[in-house]
């Protein structure tokens, strides 16, 4: 009897200990119950740098090989009306992180303008919800001594570029990383490529995760942004038996300029896109091998339209149809500068092979991921609308009254999309009342015919939106 009594005491003590430990995160004693985690997906958010909507096979590309991204689209939902936060990287990524469009966001243009302490971003929100957070790649929202440095913005792990200009080079001699809660600069191995390092870090991070704790991985590639330098194993896919580009004639980019030299810019651009596709293939393999695929949302997109830098020309853009049927490239607020590929795959929740025409933008990402983590109420400072209902095909999906962008390079620009209507105002820095261009995207997605004169009432509405959506900014000002 005494032995039996002693055994019962041991069992009871073990149950109490198990209950007290259940769901404890080993970081800062945040409580994350396993039952809650069953409702929280792992999130892998992958973003390209300066890639056009037409650069992927699943969006009509004929020359560039992207089998892994195409497969991602076939297993999930492909959006056709999804927009970047801006037409260059820093404001676009700030919009993604904060859930704000460029009419109210703090960062509205390129340059070393960091996020502020009061700018709460998605990594901080998800960390509070029990997620382990990791970012590998291009940051560009705060260097090591600023309020926007990654370790201060909710990232548990980080290796990558802090300064956006450092991200212009494919073989940097150093990267930044979080060590013991602080930023530290580390040397890269000789002849290594940054995006291969980012991929190795991402794969290693996923391998070290468990099913008991949700994770958020933000993989921010620096391709196909110039410079057009790429590992030979990918470049040779676009060379013939004589070692020449299969896209001849090519105009070489010489040495001695900001970006590294490239003999075959068209072949190199295609190879950069294909290299990223291969890296994504590696990430998808480890997600599956770890058994995470059933509870992991994988998203792929690009930060803005394709570029004409480092040897790439507008003729190259037209050859590949990188902007698809759309007008414009990076730094334009025409569709080619801001309409981006957006793919979401989650086999257990998102029906395979779908194409969505839902109109959304980067500022919708934060409320969407926040809702998936179990919090439906969006931030009062967010312009975003969660599109979880669209992803899952359940309920009524709320829509925007309009989408708004502003950009300060090239004379200053504003743009509005409202249903099928698209309005653009150029030379805003010269005159806030410059004439508005108006396009009907339903009939003219290429924005080839300005019909402002035919619809003065619509122009008046768009002008009003441009005035309402814009708020003063101490760094970027039209005044």
């Amino acid at each position: 009897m005494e032995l039996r009594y002693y055994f019962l005491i041991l069992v009871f003590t073990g149950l109490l200990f198990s209950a007290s430990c259940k769901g404890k995160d080993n970081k800062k004693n945040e409580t994350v119950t396993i039952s809650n985690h069953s409702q929280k997906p792992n999130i892998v958010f992958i973003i390209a740098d300066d890639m056009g909507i037409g650069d992927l096979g699943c969006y009509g590309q004929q020359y560039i090989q992207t089998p892994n991204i195409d497969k991602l689209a076939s297993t999930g939902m492909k959006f056709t009306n999804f927009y970047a936060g801006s037409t260059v990287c820093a404001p676009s990524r700030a919009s993604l992180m904060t859930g704000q469009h460029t009419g109210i966001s703090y960062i509205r243009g390129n340059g070393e303008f960091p996020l502020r302490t009061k700018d709460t971003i998605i990594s901080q929100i998800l960390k509070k919800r029990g997620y382990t957070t990791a970012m590998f790649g291009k940051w560009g929202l705060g260097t090591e001594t600023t309020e926007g440095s990654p370790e201060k913005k909710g990232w548990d792990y980080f290796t990558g570029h802090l300064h956006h200009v450092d991200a212009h080079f494919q073989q940097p001699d150093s990267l930044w990383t979080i060590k013991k809660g602080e930023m530290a600069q580390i040397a890269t191995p000789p002849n290594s490529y940054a995006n291969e390092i980012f991929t190795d870090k991402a794969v290693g991070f996923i391998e070290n995760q468990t099913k008991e704790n949700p994770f958020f991985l933000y993989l921010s590639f620096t391709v196909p942004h110039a410079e057009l330098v790429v590992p030979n194993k990918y470049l040779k896919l676009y060379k013939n038996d004589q070692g020449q580009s299969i896209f001849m004639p090519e105009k070489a980019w010489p040495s001695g300029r900001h970006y590294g030299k490239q003999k075959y810019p068209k072949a190199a651009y295609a190879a950069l896109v294909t290299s990223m596709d291969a890296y994504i293939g590696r990430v998808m393999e480890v997600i599956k091998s770890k058994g995470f695929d059933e509870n992991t949302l994988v998203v792929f997109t690009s930060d803005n339209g394709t570029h004409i830098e480092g040897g790439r020309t507008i003729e190259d853009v037209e050859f590949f149809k990188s902007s698809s049927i759309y007008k414009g490239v990076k730094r334009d607020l025409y569709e080619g500068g801001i309409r981006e590929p957006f793919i979401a795959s989650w086999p257990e929740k998102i029906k395979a092979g779908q194409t969505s025409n839902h109109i959304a933008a980067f500022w919708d990402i934060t409320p969407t991921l926040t809702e998936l983590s179990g919090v439906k109420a969006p931030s009062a400072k967010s312009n975003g609308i969660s599109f979880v209902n669209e992803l899952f095909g359940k309920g009524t999906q709320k829509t925007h009254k309009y989408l708004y962008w502003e950009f300060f390079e090239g004379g200053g620009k504003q743009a509005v999309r409202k249903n099928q209507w698209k309005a653009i105002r150029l030379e805003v820095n010269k005159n806030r009342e410059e004439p508005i261009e108006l396009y009907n995207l339903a009939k003219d997605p290429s924005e080839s015919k300005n019909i402002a004169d035919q619809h003065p009432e619509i122009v008046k509405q768009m002008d009003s939106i441009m005035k309402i959506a814009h708020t003063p900014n101490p760094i970027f000002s039209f005044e």
Side-chain angles (χ1 to χ4, degrees):
M1 290 294 293
E2 291 181 356
L3 181 63
R4 181 181 178 185
Y5 179 71
Y6 177 71
F7 176 74
L8 289 173
I9 290 175
L10 287 177
V11 171
F12 182 68
T13 302
L15 288 173
L16 286 175
F17 179 79
S18 175
S20 68
C21 294
K22 185 178 181 181
K24 285 287 184 180
D25 189 341
N26 60 8
K27 301 185 305 301
K28 298 183 179 180
N29 295 321
E30 292 173 321
T31 300
V32 184
T33 64
I34 295 173
S35 61
N36 281 346
H37 177 226
S38 67
Q39 305 301 318
K40 298 177 186 177
N42 304 312
I43 300 166
V44 176
F45 196 101
I46 305 171
I47 187 168
D49 195 353
D50 286 10
M51 193 192 74
I53 190 172
D55 284 328
L56 302 175
C58 53
Y59 282 90
Q61 177 57 229
Q62 298 296 310
Y63 299 107
I64 303 174
Q65 302 170 36
T66 56
N68 293 297
I69 299 174
D70 297 344
K71 182 178 179 180
L72 198 64
S74 71
T75 61
M77 179 177 287
K78 178 181 72 174
F79 286 72
T80 59
N81 279 297
F82 210 99
Y83 290 89
S86 184
T87 187
V88 294
C89 64
S92 188
R93 293 158 188 262
S95 174
L96 187 156
M97 289 289 153
T98 63
Q100 297 175 332
H101 65 56
T102 45
I104 70 167
S105 62
Y106 178 67
I107 300 173
R108 304 186 191 184
N110 266 344
E112 294 310 311
F113 303 103
L115 292 167
R116 302 161 298 179
T117 299
K118 65 181 180 180
D119 296 320
T120 300
I121 66 171
I122 186 60
S123 50
Q124 294 170 295
I125 296 171
L126 293 181
K127 184 176 174 66
K128 288 182 178 179
R129 293 291 297 154
Y131 279 75
T132 301
T133 60
M135 183 203 159
F136 305 113
K138 177 177 177 179
W139 178 233
L141 298 177
T143 54
E144 71 278 11
T145 60
T146 69
E147 297 173 6
S149 189
E151 83 282 9
K152 299 173 185 175
K153 303 308 290 184
W155 298 109
D156 295 317
Y157 301 93
F158 168 80
T159 297
H161 298 291
L162 296 180
H163 195 295
H164 74 278
V165 175
D166 291 341
H168 289 183
F169 307 108
Q170 304 298 346
Q171 294 186 282
D173 58 10
S174 65
L175 295 168
W176 290 88
T177 193
I178 296 176
K179 282 188 176 181
K180 297 181 179 180
E182 297 182 353
M183 295 308 304
Q185 201 166 15
I186 56 172
T188 56
N191 300 315
S192 60
Y193 287 83
N195 290 281
E196 295 194 337
I197 295 174
F198 303 152
T199 305
D200 289 342
K201 290 289 185 180
V203 168
F205 170 77
I206 296 170
E207 286 177 338
N208 287 327
Q209 302 311 300
T210 67
K211 291 186 177 181
E212 286 69 41
N213 193 67
F215 63 86
F216 172 47
L217 169 62
Y218 177 53
L219 183 52
S220 177
F221 290 117
T222 65
V223 291
H225 193 299
E227 65 182 359
L228 303 180
V229 174
V230 61
N232 188 58
K233 61 184 175 182
Y234 301 111
L235 186 59
K236 70 180 183 181
L237 297 173
Y238 298 98
K239 289 183 176 180
N240 59 26
D241 293 340
Q242 290 72 46
Q244 294 182 318
S245 169
I246 63 174
F247 305 122
M248 296 296 285
E250 292 258 32
K251 183 178 180 180
W253 179 254
S255 60
R257 300 188 182 183
H258 177 69
Y259 297 111
K261 67 179 181 179
Q262 179 50 250
K263 188 176 182 180
Y264 301 123
K266 288 202 289 285
Y269 183 87
L272 285 170
V273 175
T274 295
S275 71
M276 179 177 58
D277 183 84
Y279 304 148
I280 291 171
R282 287 189 57 202
V283 171
M284 297 307 296
E285 285 177 5
V286 72
I287 289 173
K288 185 173 183 179
S289 69
K290 287 286 292 185
F292 292 144
D293 47 328
E294 293 184 356
N295 194 41
T296 298
L297 169 67
V298 179
V299 172
F300 175 80
T301 189
S302 178
D303 64 348
N304 48 252
T306 190
H307 65 82
I308 47 173
E309 300 170 0
R312 182 164 161 81
T313 66
I314 194 64
E315 290 77 20
D316 296 345
V317 174
E318 293 169 355
F319 174 82
F320 285 112
K321 292 183 172 56
S322 290
S323 297
S324 187
I325 62 173
Y326 305 113
K327 178 181 179 179
V329 293
K330 177 182 180 180
R331 292 188 174 83
D332 290 324
L333 288 183
Y334 294 108
E335 295 291 283
I338 53 177
R339 192 187 292 214
E340 298 306 317
F342 191 89
I343 298 165
S345 177
W346 183 1
E348 289 297 302
K349 294 288 186 178
I350 301 173
K351 184 179 178 182
Q354 296 184 85
T355 298
S356 171
N357 296 320
H358 175 63
I359 300 172
F362 269 18
W363 48 93
D364 295 326
I365 299 297
T366 289
T368 300
L369 299 187
T370 299
E371 181 174 343
L372 289 174
S373 77
V375 181
K376 288 190 177 182
S379 168
K381 296 181 180 180
S382 174
N383 303 113
I385 296 174
S386 169
F387 53 93
V388 167
N389 285 358
E390 180 70 12
L391 291 174
F392 295 167
K394 296 179 180 179
T396 301
Q397 176 58 56
K398 293 182 179 179
T399 59
H400 284 279
K401 293 180 179 179
Y402 62 83
L403 300 180
Y404 173 79
W405 300 264
E406 59 185 56
F407 185 54
F408 293 81
E409 294 182 25
K413 307 167 186 179
Q414 291 177 286
V416 175
R417 176 163 183 182
K418 181 177 174 62
N419 300 321
Q420 78 271 30
W421 300 105
K422 174 76 175 293
I424 297 178
R425 172 176 269 150
L426 305 177
E427 300 296 334
V428 183
N429 291 334
K430 182 173 67 175
N431 180 9
R432 293 288 299 277
E433 301 299 328
E434 280 290 305
I436 286 176
E437 300 175 15
L438 184 69
Y439 303 94
N440 185 334
L441 296 180
K443 297 179 179 179
D444 180 24
S446 300
E447 296 169 295
S448 62
K449 187 177 181 181
N450 178 8
I451 54 175
D453 291 344
Q454 301 174 30
H455 299 278
E457 72 287 354
I458 301 296
V459 170
K460 186 176 180 180
Q461 290 179 28
M462 296 301 203
D463 176 66
S464 177
I465 291 171
M466 288 180 180
K467 288 181 171 61
I468 293 170
H470 168 76
T471 62
N473 184 281
I475 304 172
F476 304 98
S477 175
F478 288 138
E479 287 74 27

